[in-house]
Amino acid sequence: MTTTLEPALSVRQVLSLERVLAGEPEVVAGAGQLDRPVRWVHVAEAPDVGVMLSGGEMVLTTGVLLAGDDSAQAEYIHSLYRAEAAAVVLGLGRAFPTPPDAMRRAAERCGLPLVVLHRPFPFAELTEEVQSRLVRRKFAAVSLSEAVRTALTGLITAGAPLQRLLDEVAQHSGCPVVVTNLAHRVLATAGERPAVDDVLRDWERIARQAGGREGDGWIRAELGGRGERWGQIVLCGHRGDTAGGRLLADRAAEALVLHRMLGAAPTWEEQSAQSLLTDLVSGVVPARQLLPRARAAGLPVNRRTFVPLAVRDRDPGELERTLRLLGLPGLVAELADGITAVLLSLARDQDADALAAHFAARLGSAVVASAGPRGSWEDVPAGLREARHVADAVDGAGDALDLPGVVRLRDVHLRGLVRLLRDDPHVQAFAERELDGLLRAADDDLLAVLRTYLATGRNKSRTAQLHHVSRPALYRRLEAIQTRLGVDLDDFEQAASVHIALLAHDAQQR
C-alpha cells in the first residue's frame, strides 16, 4: 500500500480554500505559475520584506507603505521574485482600491503570481488555515520517515536480500525503483513489472537525466559510505510531492548503504546477474520482456551473437575475472547444483567457437559446457538450459571420459539422454533392478570401479590405471561385480544395460 505524502499545498490550492474564497480572490498576474508549492505564509508590510524570506512563502500585504510610488511597487515585486516567493496576495482597501498597474506589470514580467482580494479579509484566518495544514504535513512526513526506517531496518535485521528491501520501498513510493552503479548500469529494480519495463526500455538515455527531472517525479539519492560513492537509488515517476519523495529516497539510501556494508557475498552486481540469468533459464518470463533488463545491466544486445555457457564447481568471481582479462562482455551467475552460467555477448564478426575455447583454456581443468552460438536473443533461454544440461550430464565423469575443453550436446551422447529421463519412474525402477546386487551391498568401491570400466569403454588397462590397482586386482573386482549383478560384462547388450542403469542411478543421486 502506497504511503506517500499528500502533495504540498500549491498557490492554486490555497486560493481554493473556503476562507480565501470569502475574500473574492482574483489572479491579476502570473496565472501560469499557480502550481508553485507554498512552504509558508508570511504577513508583511515592510517594503524590504524580500530580505527576510527564504523561498516558497506566500506574502500577504495591504501595500499601505507602497501607495503612490510606482517604482517602490515594482521594486517590491522584484525583491519578492529574487527571494523566490511563491505568490503575493494584496488586500484591496484604502491603499489600493484597485489592482495597481505597476505591481501587476512587474509581476507579469517576473512570472510571480499576484492575487488581489476584493473583500476585506482577516489575514490571520488565512495564515491559521495554511499553517495548520503545513504543520500536519510536517508531522505526516516525520511519521512516514519513521515508518519507512522501521520497516527497512527490520528487514535488514532479519537478513532480507536486497530485492526485499526494494520491494518495500516501491510499496511506499508507488512507482518503479531502480538501483544503479556509477556507470548507470542497473543492479536491481522493484515495482510493477510493466512500469519497470517501461523505465528500463530507454534507460541509457533517461538515467543520465534523472538528476534534473525531479519536477517529473524522478528523484534520486546517492549511495556510498566511508568517503566513497558507488551508486544511486532512483524513484522513477514518483507521484507525491517532491519533498516527500526526497525523504523516502534518503531513507531508502540509508538502509541500502547499511545493507551493503553488513552484507556478505554475493554482491549486488552478482545478485543482479543471477536474477536475470535465472529468469532466462526458467522461461517463466518471456525473453523479450527481459531484454530491457539485460540492456540496462550493461550487456550489449543489439546485433550480437550470444554464447550460453555453463561451468561446474568454479567460483563465479574467478569466471568474472577471466572475462575481464579476455575483454569479453558477458554476465556470470551461479545457478543451482554448483553450476555457474556464463552468457557471452559477442560482435557478429567475432569467432564465437574460438573465443569460447579460449575462455575454457584460461580456466585450466574446468569443463565448460556450451550450447553453441545463438544469433537471436529469443534463443538464449533454450541455449542456457541446454548448456546447463550438458554440464549436468558430464558431472561425475571425472577422467574416465576424454572430453574436449568446450563440451556440447553431441559430446555427451547416451549420458545426456539418461540425465533428461532420470526422473521417470520407469527409468528409476530399471536402475534399481539392474544394480540391485551392488546397491544392497552398499559397496561404493565396486560401484566406482564399474563406473570407470563402463565409461572407458571396458578398457581394463585404463580402469586399473585410474584406480591405482594391478590388473589381477582389477580382474577380481570385475568378477565380484558380475557375480553380484548376475551379468556377463563381456556381453555387449548386458554391459550396455548395466551402463544405462548406472548412468540413471548417478543422475538420480545428483
Side-chain angles (χ1 to χ4, degrees):
M1 179 178 180
T2 304
T3 55
T4 50
L5 298 176
E6 294 181 1
L9 281 176
S10 65
V11 174
R12 189 188 308 279
Q13 289 172 315
V14 172
L15 297 181
S16 67
L17 297 176
E18 186 175 348
R19 291 186 180 183
V20 180
L21 291 174
E24 297 182 5
E26 178 188 0
V27 180
V28 297
Q33 302 295 321
L34 296 183
D35 290 322
R36 286 182 172 181
V38 176
R39 187 181 61 81
W40 207 243
V41 177
H42 191 67
V43 180
E45 298 294 351
D48 60 348
V49 65
V51 300
M52 308 175 191
L53 307 179
S54 58
E57 295 90 351
M58 174 179 277
V59 178
L60 312 181
T61 183
T62 62
V64 65
L65 300 180
L66 300 172
D69 189 340
D70 288 357
S71 62
Q73 295 169 23
E75 176 54 30
Y76 179 78
I77 293 296
H78 290 148
S79 68
L80 294 181
Y81 171 73
R82 289 192 295 270
E84 298 183 350
V88 185
V89 178
L90 175 65
L92 301 181
R94 284 185 300 171
F96 292 105
T98 59
D101 286 340
M103 293 180 70
R104 182 183 57 77
R105 288 194 299 269
E108 193 64 50
R109 284 194 299 270
C110 292
L112 178 67
L114 173 61
V115 182
V116 297
L117 300 175
H118 289 277
R119 293 174 61 87
F121 182 86
F123 284 167
E125 292 187 8
L126 175 56
T127 57
E128 178 185 4
E129 175 78 14
V130 176
Q131 313 300 45
S132 64
R133 288 174 179 262
L134 293 176
V135 168
R136 286 198 297 271
R137 285 196 69 260
K138 289 182 179 295
F139 178 76
V142 173
S143 298
L144 172 61
S145 176
E146 288 306 309
V148 173
R149 178 184 280 117
T150 300
L152 296 180
T153 301
L155 290 172
I156 294 173
T157 303
L162 170 65
Q163 188 61 53
R164 182 66 188 87
L165 269 67
L166 294 183
D167 289 341
E168 185 73 19
V169 175
Q171 188 177 29
H172 283 284
S173 68
C175 67
V177 177
V178 176
V179 173
T180 76
N181 61 15
L182 293 180
H184 301 288
R185 291 188 175 181
V186 175
L187 304 180
T189 62
E192 295 184 2
R193 181 49 52 190
V196 171
D197 288 343
D198 287 342
V199 169
L200 296 184
R201 202 162 281 120
D202 198 20
W203 179 254
E204 188 64 28
R205 179 181 63 83
I206 63 179
R208 302 182 184 278
Q209 302 174 359
R213 296 184 58 183
E214 289 197 353
D216 297 331
W218 286 74
I219 301 171
R220 67 177 179 179
E222 301 297 331
L223 301 175
R226 298 171 180 170
E228 182 182 4
R229 189 168 64 91
W230 33 261
Q232 65 180 1
I233 180 171
V234 186
L235 306 186
C236 308
H238 178 66
R239 294 187 180 88
D241 70 296
T242 301
R246 287 200 190 103
L247 180 147
L248 179 57
D250 288 343
R251 294 294 83 79
E254 292 172 4
L256 294 187
V257 169
L258 179 61
H259 181 272
R260 181 169 177 128
M261 293 175 66
L262 295 178
T267 66
W268 288 0
E269 290 80 0
E270 290 168 346
Q271 291 180 50
S272 174
Q274 185 175 42
S275 173
L276 176 58
L277 292 184
T278 299
D279 285 347
L280 279 168
V281 170
S282 69
V284 174
V285 182
R288 63 180 178 277
Q289 293 184 20
L290 297 173
L291 190 58
R293 284 173 57 187
R295 184 183 290 111
L299 185 73
V301 294
N302 295 329
R303 299 182 60 79
R304 307 292 289 186
T305 296
F306 302 100
V307 183
L309 306 174
V311 185
R312 179 173 286 282
D313 300 328
R314 281 300 180 99
D315 177 45
E318 177 191 0
L319 303 183
E320 282 271 15
R321 290 189 294 273
T322 303
L323 288 184
R324 287 196 297 269
L325 182 65
L326 298 176
L328 298 176
L331 296 177
V332 176
E334 186 174 7
L335 305 178
D337 303 325
I339 294 179
T340 298
V342 180
L343 179 61
L344 302 182
S345 175
L346 307 177
R348 292 284 174 87
D349 59 352
Q350 291 181 288
D351 189 332
D353 290 337
L355 288 174
H358 189 34
F359 173 72
R362 293 305 295 256
L363 295 178
S365 60
V367 175
V368 177
S370 173
R374 295 296 197 267
S376 168
W377 177 258
E378 300 287 337
D379 296 333
V380 168
L384 285 169
R385 288 191 290 271
E386 181 180 316
R388 183 178 179 180
H389 166 64
V390 174
D392 187 45
V394 299
D395 180 33
D399 297 326
L401 294 180
D402 184 17
L403 295 171
V406 178
V407 185
R408 294 183 170 82
L409 193 60
R410 64 175 178 266
D411 299 315
V412 295
H413 306 296
L414 180 62
R415 184 181 296 270
L417 175 62
V418 171
R419 289 295 173 114
L420 285 177
L421 300 175
R422 63 184 170 187
D423 294 326
D424 187 292
H426 298 292
V427 174
Q428 294 173 358
F430 169 77
E432 292 286 332
R433 184 172 62 251
E434 289 290 304
L435 301 176
D436 181 63
L438 286 179
L439 295 179
R440 278 192 295 107
D443 194 327
D444 292 337
D445 181 61
L446 290 183
L447 272 175
V449 170
L450 175 63
R451 186 178 294 111
T452 304
Y453 179 64
L454 295 174
T456 58
R458 295 182 293 173
N459 186 320
K460 294 182 175 66
S461 297
R462 180 63 174 156
T463 302
Q465 179 185 9
L466 290 173
H467 284 272
H468 307 289
V469 298
S470 65
R471 289 284 292 266
L474 176 65
Y475 294 155
R476 288 194 294 273
R477 295 183 187 186
L478 291 176
E479 185 65 32
I481 291 171
Q482 293 180 104
T483 300
R484 292 189 183 183
L485 296 182
V487 298
D488 178 5
L489 292 179
D490 290 329
D491 180 86
F492 175 79
E493 184 173 340
Q494 294 183 55
S497 181
V498 172
H499 192 188
I500 293 172
L502 185 58
L503 289 176
H505 169 74
D506 288 347
Q508 292 159 16
Q509 294 302 306
R510 293 184 184 280

